[in-house]
Amino acid sequence: MSTGDRILTDEMIAEIKEFFPRYPSRQAVTLPALHIVNEKLRHVPLQAVVEIAQLLDLAPAEVQDTLSFYGMFPQDKPHGRTRAWVCRSISCALRGGDELLEHMCDEAGIEPGQTTPDGSLTLEFAECLGACEHAPCILANEELHKSVTKEEATKLLGTFK
Amino acid sequence: MEPVLLANIHRSDSHTLSGYESTGGYNAYRKVLAEMSPDDLKDLVKESGLRGRGGAGFPTGLKWTFLPKNHPGPIYFCLNADESEPGTFNNRILMEEDPHQVLEGLALSCYATGAETAYFYIRYEYPLCYKRLTQALEEMYAKGLLGKNILGSGFNLDIYLHRGAAAYICGEETGLIESLEGKRAWPRIKPPFPAIEGAFRKPTVVNNVETAACVPHIVNRGVAWFRSMGVQPDPNNPRDPGSFGPKLYCLSGHIEKPGCYEAPLGITVNELIQEYGGGMLDGRRPKAAIPGGISMGLLTADEFDCPLDFSGPGRYGCLGLGTAAVVVMDETVSMVDYLHNSARFFAHESCGQCTPCREGTSWSLKMLDRIQAGRGRLIDLDLLLEIGDTIGIIPGTTICGLADGAAWPLKNAIRKFRGEFEDFIKQTNPDGYAETSPVPALHEIHGH
């Protein structure tokens, strides 16, 4: 089933195996495994799906089925070094969330879901970031940016290298 | 009122074990493990009248009693920290600022239900919560508050954090379980209910973060204290068990001071806006408010005397209190834009398993796309209402309640603001709003 060289490193495999004792089934490690691979490779290519499936005693289709349900795991190519979600839910929309996303897309020259040609940034919309008191907000990798104006968004874009 | 759930969040060390213990943290846990049986604790929570804070408002103690008696185990506990309902962020505040309060509540809940393994299912979009909870769990293990034979009581408990992957439906309890098991988060047909067959086909309790956070306070302060706050049962409604205890309200939108506020159940929308939120943003006039997360529907400004307890919003034509996330809109807001935003959310987040929800949410979005693009017809409003009435009937035509949540904004916005929708259609499509005009294909509309 495997095609070409192995994608998962020994380190990734060890990290995935650490999750095994937590659950009564190997399949439950699917999301943790996908997160581990995605954090390292910034995407989960098909070959990684095959290798995760082997580790978890699953058919590759079962892992692929799960992966394709969630919005977290790009497959074709890596997301940007910074992955930024701009919230467009009602609380953020009332305070300019949609316009902020449009502004950032214009400035970065990409559409929501796309990555800049230099690979520095992927811009996405979020349905809700759960930070409605700080609307409009942006989650860039692990950092939440609160009550962001267009001017601040422009500055923020400049920091994504 | 004196804050209870948010009492310590102003402290810089509120997220640490030492900070939590310095304010009496884990006293309830120590007391329960030393003095009370699991059944004692279960009875205490049942008597308190605590109702789940995640949206449905089901009595927590009663839910716990649905577990089979004398089950050989394992029994699993899932803490639902996948709050993703637009407008809602109370669980985030608790997890970020006072994670030990949540974990003490979870540990107590596990003791009461006989669960020795708990999965803390946390949405991916909360990295700071994840970090703080990871630290808090390490502190608990180091102090012997988790693991084997906790504090010499014979009780064993492990808590594992499990990160979601950005899907609203994981907040539905059986969707959460499917996701935890490594599958797509497709809600399950019930029965069997999770209490009988849940995670890994074993008896399982799923509770919300804020619900768990109430439990230590019920132990510390007693049932009478908890029931002294809130709203008594409605004597005219035998199905209303009352709404007791403190509640976290999330206030956002066109408000001077958006934030998470603690108030007794039953506070009105007006009181919340004026006494906690500092009034309307820039002093503008209010137009509408969502009483408890986007799926609950809409209150007009004339209905802001609506009490925010579990029964209040239902009396104003809304679905319910939901997550008590109040989103306020001022007079500048277009109801067409609001409804489009809501429809876009539900169309994106429908899991696609049930036809009425999958098709109904996407069709309502397509129609609102067209109306917003200036190609609406008056008959579209009746068609949207028909979709709302078809997909959102309780008891539902779908496996879970997402379709109901999608239906209520449709029904409320069009019924309560119909004139505005009609004016918009007539103004933006003056030649074509007649009911007999053909519906253009989406690709014929500019921008689609």
Side-chain angles (χ1 to χ4, degrees), chain A residues 34-136:
Chain A
L34 291 169
H35 279 308
I36 287 165
V37 174
N38 193 46
E39 278 162 23
K40 302 282 193 304
L41 304 178
R42 290 190 274 122
H43 72 316
V44 186
L46 272 174
Q47 176 63 23
V49 169
V50 172
E51 292 174 26
I52 289 171
Q54 281 171 348
L55 270 177
L56 304 186
D57 291 335
L58 298 170
E62 290 176 285
V63 177
Q64 181 67 19
D65 183 57
T66 301
L67 174 148
S68 62
F69 182 79
Y70 301 93
M72 282 303 298
F73 311 111
Q75 203 152 34
D76 296 341
K77 56 183 179 185
H79 61 69
R81 290 183 288 283
T82 297
R83 195 175 183 186
W85 286 272
V86 184
C87 186
R88 65 177 194 178
S89 83
I90 187 68
S91 302
C92 283
L94 290 172
R95 290 186 171 235
D98 280 313
E99 293 80 3
L100 190 67
L101 176 61
E102 201 179 318
H103 171 76
M104 290 179 77
C105 285
D106 286 347
E107 295 264 304
I110 50 175
E111 296 286 319
Q114 292 182 343
T115 302
T116 52
D118 65 356
S120 63
L121 172 69
T122 299
L123 262 181
E124 301 190 35
F125 60 77
E127 288 299 352
C128 185
L129 290 175
C132 318
E133 81 274 43
H134 303 302

Side-chain angles (χ1 to χ4, degrees), chain A residues 22-24 27-28 35 65-66 68-70 72 88 90-91 93-95 98 127-133, chain B residues 76 89 92 119 123-124 126 162 164-165 179-185 200 252-255 341 344 348-349:
Chain A
R22 295 183 174 200
Y23 306 93
Q27 187 168 16
H35 279 308
D65 183 57
T66 301
S68 62
F69 182 79
Y70 301 93
M72 282 303 298
R88 65 177 194 178
I90 187 68
S91 302
L94 290 172
R95 290 186 171 235
D98 280 313
E127 288 299 352
C128 185
L129 290 175
C132 318
E133 81 274 43
Chain B
Y76 293 112
F89 51 92
R92 192 195 93 236
Y119 296 105
R123 65 186 306 221
Y124 189 83
Y126 283 176
H162 186 96
S179 179
L180 173 70
E181 291 181 355
K183 296 175 262 178
R184 43 179 58 213
F200 311 107
S252 65
H254 292 141
I255 288 293
N341 183 289
R344 187 177 66 185
H348 190 263
E349 296 300 331

